[in-house]
Amino acid sequence: MSPRPFKKALLRLGFYGAIGVLLLYAVFPFYYAVLTSLKPSSALFQVSYWTDKADLSNYAAVLQQASFVQAIGNSVFVAVCVVALALFLSLTAAYALGRVKFRGRATVLLLVLGVSMFPQVAVLSGLFEVIRALGLYNSAWALILSYTIFTLPFTVWVLTTFIGQLPGELEEAAIMDGASPWVALTRVLLPLLWPALVTTGLLAFIAAWNEFLFALTFTLTDQQRTVPVAIALISGGSQHELPWGLLMAASVMVTVPLVLLVLVFQRRIVSGLTTGALKG
Amino acid sequence: MSKLQLDNVNKQLGGLRILRDISLEIASGEFVVFVGPSGCGKSTLLRLIAGLESICAGDLLIDGRRVNDLEPRERGVGMVFQSYALYPHMSVYDNIGFGLKLAKTDKRSLRERVLETARILQLDKLLQRKPKELSGGQRQRVAMGRAMAREPDILLFDEPLSNLDAALRVQMRNEIARLHDRLGTTMIYVTHDQVEAMTLADKIVVLNAGRIEQVGTPRELYERPASRFVAGFLGSPRMNFLPARLLAPGPQSLIETPALGRLTALTFDSSALAADSPLSLGVRPEHLALQAAPGSAGLVVTGVEYLGCETYVHLDVGEDEPLICRCQTNAPWRVGDRVEVLADAGNLHLFDVEGAALPRRPAPDAASPRALAQGYA
Amino acid sequence: MTTSISRAQSFYDEPLPIKETPVQRRRICAAWLFLTPMLLCLLLVAGWPLLRTFWFSLTDTSLSDTGAGAFVGLSNYLARDGDGWSGILVDPLWWNAVRNTLHFTAVSVSLEIMLGLAVALLLNVRFAGRALVRAMILIPWAIPTIVSAKIWAWMLNDQFGILNHLLLGLGLIDAPLAWTADASLSMWAVIMVDVWKTVPFVALLMLAALQMLPGDCYEAARVDGIHPLKVFWRVTLPLLMPALLVAAIFRILDSLRVFDVIYVLTSNSSSTMSMSIYARQQLVEFQDVGYGSAASTLLFLIVAVIAVFYLYLGRRQMEVRP
């Protein structure tokens, strides 16, 4: 026996061990949340790594709370509207920035990049005033409007990169065919941009779904809350009396759609994230 | 009536002059090929005619009308792109009909025009396919169909065959030639491939560094190049150039080359030059003939390239590049042989130091070959 | 010869006026038209509010009526107040928030970069199921910050949390730790959660950068029999530096404005209070828009300095091809 195959096997073992640790680290907290949510409140305070019978009473309790169901509806509405608004605004902007050479293009790009680095709290007071002036305080529209501050720079940036990668002759062919910029964008480039739109839309959706600071500040009543705020505000009498089972059930329900999206669109999400960052 | 006219057209990009004082007339129905090395401005010139690039100075006239400030669709031009640039999400039918649709053509005549175009290009059976389901040649034809569908007066081709393999390129070349015969449309075609230029063109425009070097029929350009650049650009293997010195200027030139010795009574008028001016003597490989040289006279064979249909013999003339001679395949020469070179005096070319061809005088005995290497020891 | 003279001269000719074709003119018009909605939107939600925040910071505005504030100069920042000084620049709570934020940023970003790089190197190896593992590690990134903070709050629960249970079981600690309540531990709890959530992002960024590296370098190194560790230090790391810097800047800018995770995990505890938490507390809970805006402005300035520094560094890579 030479030591070489032995060393190789050891290396392999170490590698798969590391992968295992990584997976455990990444997935365990979510697994534990699922586990907790399936325990009846009597078993909640005994730490365990497995439960034999799934108890759905926590989920039933969450769904019986009208305000939580309402919050899910609000979150979906806000996120979908934000995605639609951001994609529409950024698609035309990305055409301008990605395909047309004009004076001021670099300045606009810099501006967009600058906004993406804003600390949200820096605009909180000014935005609060704008929202109140527009009569949007404590409404979903306040959130839809304010969420463009962090979705728009990102979607513009990523779509500009994608749209700039389409071959130039394609648009020139459209120009020879007599297409105006709007026609070239909507009838020739847009159909080729669907993958990019799905990617950026997905990332914008996740960002809007997860947002907390604006949602906490610009909404007041249970009827207008989004899910993150609703979860943050679930409380018992004190820190120690938090209804953990209920909380975990709500958390799992909010997260499962995202986890599924991530698992299904993993490749697209990664490409979108790295386009936004590395090529920026 | 002149169909298209360029009048002192200039183009500048980022401080760099890309086209310089281009003046050119293209007659209606003519097939004109712009040819030149990469970066010579030929594609820019085409895009400028298309309306995709701006003209910085000078005028572009189509049918006598100045079109500098017209959009492509108003100029009545269609264009075939190098990459074809087919709309990947549209069927062949929609690709061809897109321009018509944008021009708000009514459905019936749109359909007729698309079907007619498809019939001419033999695309009838492919109309429902998407571009990615087509072969290279078929894509090429769709690209032509799209450019043709609006029945433009002028069709522009930007290196349309460069993405095809060699065999298909020959086939498509023939198809384009047939199409031109059939449609009678003015066609302007950009290529860097001299074979395409020679075979397709009624008129070749040779461009170099943003200028027109020469305009003429393929035959004129090949047989009477106006400059050393044109002479070297057309023809494969390219023309041999030998450095020479003008001994006696006059209506009949007497020159001397270090390699070949003295040449007398050449039919070039060198009256404008001073004695002792440096010159360049050009002779195409097929205008040279070889015969065995006695003893240590003549030139040494340094290479023999056998191509099946012909043989290229390389001769050492003391320059960086050998003198290349095109021979029949049964030529007996081997490396190391000594040979005497005979040339067709009517097919010699003489260029001044700037590369311009010396004016030619009609030759009394143009056909008789003469030994070139007579004085060579 | 005449031709040669004209040729030689014409290289020094006058520059021509830059003209545009009708197509180009139309495209430039369209470009501005297409940009207008986005620019208006950003002006409405970012530009104008930011200016208002700057203005508010110079007034004594309160939240109940933002139009009613009076100009007070720089007194929200610093003012002579009887014998001593007042204002945010002498507020120990503010400086505590700055310290906390910097502490949080320094520790969590360096941890994230190191762990992210390690994970990326691990995932750069080809093995069966790699795509699945890559998808799985995205889960922490996708979970809303609020939710992950809650999940960790439960896992870190002093009495019933699984972490204390585990550590007690392993004999590493004698008594349960109050992770989120103990002032000396709560910052570490916050960092732990943030690192958990952000490592996937950094790792995937690094992984993408790794996969863009030229393969022939490694071939050459392997043929030359150079030790893998040496290859990492001498080849991989230098080539990865630009991506590493980008990731670090992104994370630094993000960490400086941290809010959600701290708000949920430790609420307003002073031992973890960040600049964003401080500013929002002043603005919303104390209704002191003037003072809160001053804090926001300071945070903005800190972020802006770093962002400008980054833009300066990455100026050449900034240009997206037209």
Side-chain angles (χ1 to χ4, degrees), chain B residues 44-351:
Chain B
T44 308
L45 185 57
L46 191 79
R47 292 164 56 78
L48 197 137
I49 294 170
L52 293 171
E53 300 271 357
S54 63
I55 296 171
C56 294
D59 294 320
L60 170 65
L61 294 96
I62 294 179
D63 275 342
R65 186 167 65 131
R66 187 172 180 275
V67 297
N68 287 36
D69 295 322
L70 293 189
E71 299 209 5
R73 68 192 160 94
E74 299 165 322
R75 295 184 184 193
V77 294
M79 183 152 168
V80 179
F81 291 88
Q82 183 173 9
S83 66
Y84 317 145
L86 300 179
Y87 310 129
H89 56 291
M90 293 186 199
S91 66
V92 170
Y93 184 95
D94 291 333
N95 262 285
I96 295 175
F98 188 61
L100 293 166
K101 204 186 267 176
L102 292 185
K104 305 230 176 349
T105 315
D106 69 90
K107 270 224 171 87
R108 259 241 318 279
S109 50
L110 182 144
R111 189 175 167 75
E112 273 168 24
R113 290 264 280 282
V114 173
L115 291 181
E116 168 69 8
T117 309
R119 203 177 48 72
I120 294 173
L121 294 166
Q122 294 157 359
L123 291 166
D124 323 47
K125 296 195 174 64
L126 305 172
L127 283 171
Q128 296 317 316
R129 299 238 187 126
K130 292 276 172 65
K132 64 168 181 285
E133 302 162 332
L134 301 175
S135 70
Q138 289 166 339
R139 285 180 203 181
Q140 171 67 59
R141 287 208 293 268
V142 176
M144 290 199 284
R146 186 176 58 181
M148 284 161 49
R150 299 202 331 165
E151 298 180 336
D153 304 319
I154 301 170
L155 267 179
L156 308 175
F157 296 85
D158 189 5
E159 308 218 16
L161 304 184
S162 56
N163 286 346
L164 300 176
D165 62 48
L168 205 52
R169 210 178 302 165
V170 174
Q171 186 197 331
M172 289 310 298
R173 200 171 75 204
N174 291 329
E175 282 190 31
I176 291 174
R178 275 211 304 280
L179 196 67
H180 180 244
D181 289 343
R182 175 167 185 166
L183 298 175
T185 315
T186 309
M187 291 188 178
I188 305 177
Y189 187 106
V190 163
T191 183
H192 61 267
D193 180 325
Q194 47 166 308
V195 181
E196 277 173 35
M198 298 294 276
T199 52
L200 286 170
D202 295 325
K203 189 155 90 185
I204 294 181
V205 178
V206 182
L207 287 147
N208 181 29
R211 293 173 178 283
I212 292 182
E213 284 278 341
Q214 192 175 0
V215 180
T217 63
R219 195 180 191 110
E220 280 166 4
L221 261 57
Y222 192 77
E223 294 180 356
R224 293 290 179 263
S227 67
R228 196 186 141 141
F229 177 82
V230 175
F233 190 77
L234 296 176
S236 174
R238 65 178 218 136
M239 185 183 278
N240 296 297
F241 294 106
L242 295 167
R245 206 158 52 84
L246 181 65
L247 294 180
Q252 301 235 316
S253 304
L254 171 66
I255 64 163
E256 182 179 47
T257 69
L260 300 178
R262 284 183 183 201
L263 301 172
T264 53
L266 294 175
T267 57
F268 295 95
D269 186 351
S270 55
S271 313
L273 296 178
D276 231 24
S277 299
L279 296 172
S280 186
L281 175 73
V283 55
R284 294 201 184 275
E286 64 267 33
H287 296 135
L288 291 171
L290 302 180
Q291 63 184 34
S296 62
L299 301 172
V300 181
V301 174
T302 56
V304 177
E305 291 179 309
Y306 172 78
L307 273 86
C309 58
E310 57 198 13
T311 297
Y312 301 145
V313 178
H314 295 221
L315 305 175
D316 179 25
V317 286
E319 300 289 326
D320 291 344
E321 287 178 40
L323 186 71
I324 296 177
C325 176
R326 181 184 245 158
C327 300
Q328 291 188 324
T329 46
N330 57 10
W333 317 116
R334 298 277 171 278
V335 172
D337 287 354
R338 285 187 168 270
V339 294
E340 215 161 63
V341 181
L342 301 164
D344 185 347
N347 284 311
L348 291 180
H349 306 268
L350 212 49
F351 305 99

Side-chain angles (χ1 to χ4, degrees), chain C residues 274-295:
Chain C
S274 71
M275 290 189 273
S276 282
I277 300 250
Y278 176 89
R280 185 183 180 278
Q281 191 180 37
Q282 299 293 337
L283 278 172
V284 180
E285 278 156 46
F286 304 158
Q287 307 258 317
D288 191 345
V289 172
Y291 200 76
S293 295

Side-chain angles (χ1 to χ4, degrees), chain A residues 99 105 118 129 132 171, chain C residues 27 52 63 196 257 320:
Chain A
R99 300 219 66 105
R105 179 177 160 276
F118 262 38
E129 190 192 39
R132 247 196 338 213
E171 204 192 340
Chain C
R27 281 161 62 82
R52 287 300 284 174
L63 195 65
W196 177 74
R257 57 195 180 195
V320 179

